[in-house]
Amino acid sequence: MANENVSPAVTTQLHGHVLVITVNNPPVNALSAAVRQGLFAAIEQADAEPDAKAVLIVSEGKTFIAGADIREFGKPPVLPSLPEVCNRIEACNKPVVAALQGAALGGGLEVALGAHYRLALPAVKVGLPEVDLGLMPGAGGTQRAPRLMGVKAAAEFMLSGKPIGAQAALQAGLIDRIVDTANAAASDGNRPALDAGLAYANELLGTQATGAPVRRVRDIAIPDPEAALVDLTALAADTAKKSSGLFSPLKIIEAVRASVELPFDDGMALERRLFLTCIDSPQRAGLIHAFFAEREVSKVPEARAAAPRAVDSLAIIGGGTMGAGIAVAALDAGLPVVMVERDADSIARGVANVTKVYDGLVAKGRMTEAQKAATLARFKSSTDYADLANTDLVIEAVFEDLAVKKAVFQQLDKVCKPGAVLATNTSYLDIDAIAASTSRPQDVIGLHFFSPANIMKLLEIVVPAQVSADVVVTAFELAKRMKKVPVRAGVCDGFIGNRILATYKQAADYMMEDGASPYQIDAAVRGFGYPMGPCQVTDLAGGDIGWATRKRRAATRDPKARYVEIADRICERGWFGQKTGRGFYLYPQGARTGQPDPEVLAIVDAERAKKGITPRSFTPEEIMRRYMAAMVNEGAKVLADGIALRPLDIDVTFLYGYGFPRFRGGPMKHADTVGLANILADIRAFAQEDPLFWQPAPLLEKLVAEGKDFASLNQRG
Ligand code: 3HC
Ligand code: NAI
């Protein structure tokens, strides 16, 4: 029988007595309508075809099936639904084998669980990661996985969302066998899953005179149902505590409970109902927005115009907080690193800062002494810029002072080879001015890491006017190697993140002076989904950092602008936060969680009295409306100024650099969810009190006038 197209994305072909169903829907074989229709039709064909005694489901490409087609969510449904497809596979009268390679995730694993036998290549990853998208498995996963894995293990598997490897999947009972690597290699090389699947199907056919048995997961009894219900009750209590406002985790437990309490088909029906409530939740929209946004950020104009320069060696100037963190991130990425400091004492401190990180990993058992030694063998230190003559990429992380930075870049200009990329980690300074201090501005770029640089994922790639496209592309490549999430930003005071941060912190300061305590503000921000409030963050980072910036800006501050001095009063007392034992909060005996401080409240009261302000009360909701309105308004200005390419770049910046709750998708996505007209109405209302601060962004006004949202500006790069 020839290869037959049963849909644009699914073909069938008879190999002896085995009907092979091949899914081919690049790039990841997502289960879009054409795949679902094709799979359904192919199983109908298998049942009808007398020569077919068994069925094999395989996929083209690297991935078995990555799950439901996420782009279809929120659109009108197209039949057959995925649960119908999985049920149809399971109902097939001939034994169905699924051969898994690459990733079998979400609906991809559910298709495999509909099959009667499952085998996998050794490098396979299987998972039910729906929870990461604000969802739950919706095509039988919550009913079939518990029958194979046990109820508690299955629920935990779905709640974690983390994929597991072949061995773990075998032990859990999710797959029946792992293909012998030697056999896989001995096949024709490009289709080991097909060969192994055919071998398995033929083996099954050979064992029984009457043909191989069909085995349906739905027919398996739930092991130890009473104990399972006790486990689920405990898990639900624990999940309610830990999942902080997330919608889908408790729905997962509810559906798994149905696998114990209800007949299979009723459990499936309940799963479907719960799945649809997840689909309708704004959290699903926020999390899926985040999924696509973090992939879109790398699609920048330069990526189409140039290829990256080779980077085989890296140097860092400055071994302080940031220099050391960046050195660790680069060493962890496998690069050789040279650190340069200004004198012997400073370089000794820089080296110690790096070594301390690895000592900590060894102490926690996350690295062996031998691995530490191998990593540090790639780490060199120096006080001589001449040692940078052959380095491909240099990152400067010296004091935040334009004159000091310019002097460093002039030195680099003298010693570095032509074509070396020269980057600065400045937080705020004018990178065009730094570039202009060299004879090669085309090679100068901003690489703004976040503290701690070996942990925080965000990397703002700051693009000055004269930098060449291949340097920008090189920076994106480096980010990928260092497992960072890169966002392209333009040059301005604070780039995307710190510029917007400065504005909404001002809004928070105003509320503090008008009547909200620092503790009420932090609680409202945490209630919104952030891990910490702004005053807690200041205490963690060190209040002195912001104080220095405020002093630097004092001379250029608009004298008409409202300025709140509470934080300055706190810093003047030497209360810089956790490192000094007190800041906005008290940290007795080095505690990491702060306690409210009556003396701070007294400072706040005194500042209000000085300005003649009668404090008024703020609800958490009003605090967040003002906080978000300030953030979104400045975000719109950042967009209009071309500092961020698209709203999604701002979203990713805040998700990965500032702890913005992922289930809301980012500030600009959140603004769309709330409605831009509502945000603008708030800004106009707040402007009655302070028209200078609350100036509506013209872009926001334009979008509202045209009835558009920020999403309309997120065209694909
Ligand atoms: N639907 C639609 N598009 C998808 C997709 C999906 N499920 N998974 C990935 N893609 C797209 C990506 O957006 C990307 O598109 P682009 O090239 O236009 O940017 C492309 O496929 C390649 O993806 P990656 O860049 O992520 O490729 P990787 O090779 O790094 O990773 C992967 C592959 C591990 C499969 C990863 O893409 C992934 O984790 N995908 C999502 C898996 C998932 O969450 N599945 C569950 C879906 S929900 C579900 O199944 C519900 C069901 O229970 C009813
Ligand atoms: P830091 O004060 O901890 O370290 C600066 C280091 O630079 C010191 O070790 C100093 O000896 C060294 N140095 C100064 N002049 C030098 C020179 N001419 N040659 C070689 N070394 C020199 O400062 P930190 O916090 O590491 O900041 C460095 C840069 O990173 C600044 O531009 C800062 O704005 C930026 N940054 C800081 C973040 C933070 O949270 N600390 C976050 C993101 C960026």
Side-chain angles (χ1 to χ4, degrees):
M1 189 173 121
N3 217 340
E4 198 181 315
N5 281 324
V6 289
S7 91
V10 176
T11 55
T12 56
Q13 190 177 26
L14 205 52
H15 288 242
H17 287 298
V18 182
L19 185 77
V20 177
I21 301 174
T22 306
V23 175
N24 186 9
N25 185 26
V28 292
N29 294 321
L31 290 155
S32 28
V35 177
R36 297 197 303 277
Q37 284 155 1
L39 278 171
F40 199 96
I43 296 289
E44 298 267 287
Q45 183 191 354
D47 268 338
E49 170 62 58
D51 285 344
K53 306 279 185 233
V55 182
L56 171 64
I57 303 177
V58 289
S59 289
E60 291 282 0
K62 285 192 297 187
T63 309
F64 174 66
I65 295 173
D69 185 342
I70 301 170
R71 291 184 203 278
E72 285 183 357
F73 293 150
K75 295 189 185 150
V78 179
L79 293 177
S81 69
L82 193 54
E84 286 168 328
V85 173
C86 296
N87 286 345
R88 184 65 191 88
I89 293 171
E90 190 173 57
C92 184
N93 289 321
K94 299 166 184 178
V96 182
V97 176
L100 316 182
Q101 91 269 16
L105 300 176
L109 180 57
E110 289 172 304
V111 164
L113 297 182
H116 306 139
Y117 299 88
R118 287 160 291 282
L119 89 163
L121 298 191
V124 86
K125 290 270 177 237
V126 305
L128 292 171
E130 287 88 344
V131 70
D132 294 338
L133 303 175
L135 291 172
M136 51 179 273
T142 64
Q143 306 303 301
R144 292 194 177 94
R147 288 174 156 80
L148 290 170
M149 304 176 80
V151 172
K152 183 165 180 238
E156 285 172 344
F157 182 54
M158 292 174 227
L159 289 171
S160 89
K162 290 210 171 34
I164 54 176
Q167 271 305 335
L170 185 69
Q171 268 155 23
L174 279 175
I175 57 172
D176 299 298
R177 66 166 68 170
I178 301 173
V179 179
D180 191 312
T181 333
N183 282 350
S187 75
D188 69 358
N190 58 350
R191 296 299 305 276
L194 172 66
D195 291 346
L198 280 173
Y200 193 17
N202 283 316
E203 181 190 317
L204 289 166
L205 288 178
T207 55
Q208 308 263 337
T210 53
V214 290
R215 289 187 328 185
R216 299 188 172 105
V217 176
R218 61 182 286 141
D219 295 332
I220 300 173
I222 290 280
D224 203 352
E226 281 86 40
L229 290 177
V230 174
D231 286 342
L232 285 177
T233 303
L235 204 54
D238 191 46
T239 304
K241 246 188 276 150
K242 286 196 197 136
S243 61
S244 50
L246 286 181
F247 182 75
S248 75
L250 288 170
K251 303 287 163 207
I252 289 177
I253 298 181
E254 205 179 327
V256 173
R257 180 174 281 274
S259 77
V260 186
E261 291 180 329
L262 300 180
F264 183 82
D265 290 325
D266 295 350
M268 287 292 287
L270 181 72
E271 177 196 78
R272 185 74 185 156
R273 283 202 300 280
L274 295 172
F275 178 76
L276 293 177
T277 62
C278 294
I279 284 276
D280 286 342
S281 101
Q283 294 189 356
R284 185 276 303 166
L287 288 164
I288 287 186
H289 172 77
F291 176 88
F292 286 121
E294 66 202 20
R295 285 163 174 75
E296 288 297 303
V297 279
S298 297
K299 295 171 192 165
V300 296
E302 290 83 1
R304 285 191 293 263
R309 296 182 188 174
V311 175
D312 297 317
S313 57
L314 196 136
I316 290 161
I317 316 295
T321 310
M322 293 308 288
I326 299 167
V328 171
L331 288 168
D332 288 348
L335 283 158
V337 175
V338 183
M339 175 183 279
V340 174
E341 262 284 0
R342 44 190 176 149
D343 52 43
D345 283 352
S346 308
I347 194 65
R349 266 198 307 277
V351 170
N353 287 341
V354 170
T355 316
K356 198 168 65 192
V357 174
Y358 290 110
D359 288 342
L361 292 177
V362 172
K364 284 186 206 134
R366 290 180 28 210
M367 187 178 231
T368 63
E369 281 290 351
Q371 286 166 329
K372 174 183 140 190
T375 303
L376 289 177
R378 284 184 276 111
F379 181 47
K380 304 271 174 300
S381 59
S382 170
T383 52
D384 185 357
Y385 279 73
D387 287 341
L388 305 179
N390 290 316
T391 306
D392 293 325
L393 189 145
V394 184
I395 303 173
E396 164 278 311
V398 303
F399 301 135
E400 184 76 344
D401 178 312
L402 191 57
V404 175
K405 295 212 190 263
K406 280 184 174 173
V408 167
F409 273 78
Q410 278 155 10
Q411 292 253 40
L412 294 175
D413 197 12
K414 279 199 205 109
V415 299
C416 290
K417 66 182 181 186
V421 174
L422 309 182
T424 172
N425 182 49
T426 179
S427 309
Y428 294 95
L429 300 175
D430 180 354
I431 304 180
D432 285 313
I434 295 173
S437 70
T438 72
S439 65
R440 40 173 121 175
Q442 73 280 2
D443 297 332
V444 177
I445 192 161
L447 289 180
H448 183 215
F449 290 82
F450 286 67
S451 180
N454 52 319
I455 299 199
M456 291 292 286
K457 287 274 190 193
L458 181 64
L459 176 60
E460 272 182 303
I461 294 180
V462 192
V463 179
Q466 292 192 55
V467 69
S468 68
D470 61 347
V471 170
V472 178
V473 180
T474 307
F476 273 87
E477 271 300 307
L478 180 71
K480 200 156 120 194
R481 258 167 104 175
M482 290 175 130
K483 299 200 170 64
K484 299 292 178 200
V485 178
V487 172
R488 186 191 188 284
V491 176
C492 68
D493 196 346
F495 318 127
I496 298 177
N498 284 345
R499 171 170 158 184
I500 297 175
L501 167 77
T503 306
Y504 66 79
K505 278 201 68 179
Q506 243 175 305
D509 283 348
Y510 296 162
M511 289 188 271
M512 204 184 291
E513 204 172 54
D514 288 339
S517 81
Y519 315 120
Q520 284 170 331
I521 293 172
D522 279 353
V525 170
R526 284 197 306 273
F528 183 79
Y530 274 90
M532 279 191 249
C535 301
Q536 291 173 289
V537 173
T538 300
D539 277 4
L540 182 67
D544 49 328
I545 296 183
W547 193 29
T549 310
R550 291 195 294 279
K551 285 193 268 194
R552 176 168 61 79
R553 288 182 176 157
T556 52
R557 196 177 297 130
D558 181 347
K560 291 196 290 301
R562 181 175 174 189
Y563 181 72
V564 176
E565 294 171 56
I566 296 169
D568 295 348
R569 291 294 93 79
I570 291 172
C571 287
E572 283 158 11
R573 287 166 169 74
W575 301 348
F576 295 148
Q578 291 195 15
K579 63 184 171 190
T580 56
R582 68 194 297 182
F584 279 98
Y585 293 80
L586 286 168
Y587 302 89
Q589 281 98 43
R592 300 189 64 183
T593 315
Q595 296 168 3
D597 183 348
E599 288 186 56
V600 166
L601 293 176
I603 292 173
V604 174
D605 279 343
E607 287 299 308
R608 288 173 186 158
K610 197 172 82 186
K611 298 214 180 144
I613 295 171
T614 309
R616 68 177 183 88
S617 66
F618 286 81
T619 62
E621 197 229 339
E622 184 177 3
I623 292 173
M624 286 320 295
R625 274 169 76 166
R626 284 173 182 260
Y627 203 72
M628 288 312 303
M631 197 182 300
V632 171
N633 200 35
E634 191 63 20
K637 291 176 187 173
V638 157
L639 274 172
D641 292 351
I643 301 301
L645 282 180
R646 300 149 295 192
L648 66 85
D649 295 278
I650 299 176
D651 287 337
V652 172
T653 301
F654 280 86
L655 292 177
Y656 283 98
Y658 298 83
F660 193 92
R662 188 176 169 90
F663 67 84
R664 295 186 192 275
M668 310 313 265
K669 171 71 186 171
H670 174 73
D672 280 354
T673 309
V674 170
L676 299 193
N678 293 327
I679 303 256
L680 182 59
D682 274 351
I683 293 169
R684 287 184 173 144
F686 305 149
Q688 307 283 319
E689 306 155 11
D690 183 350
L692 189 63
F693 179 73
W694 290 106
Q695 289 178 45
L699 175 63
L700 185 60
E701 291 180 315
K702 179 168 175 282
L703 288 171
V704 171
E706 292 171 355
K708 291 189 178 153
D709 56 10
F710 284 123
S712 66
L713 306 176
N714 276 335
Q715 300 94 346
R716 302 194 55 170

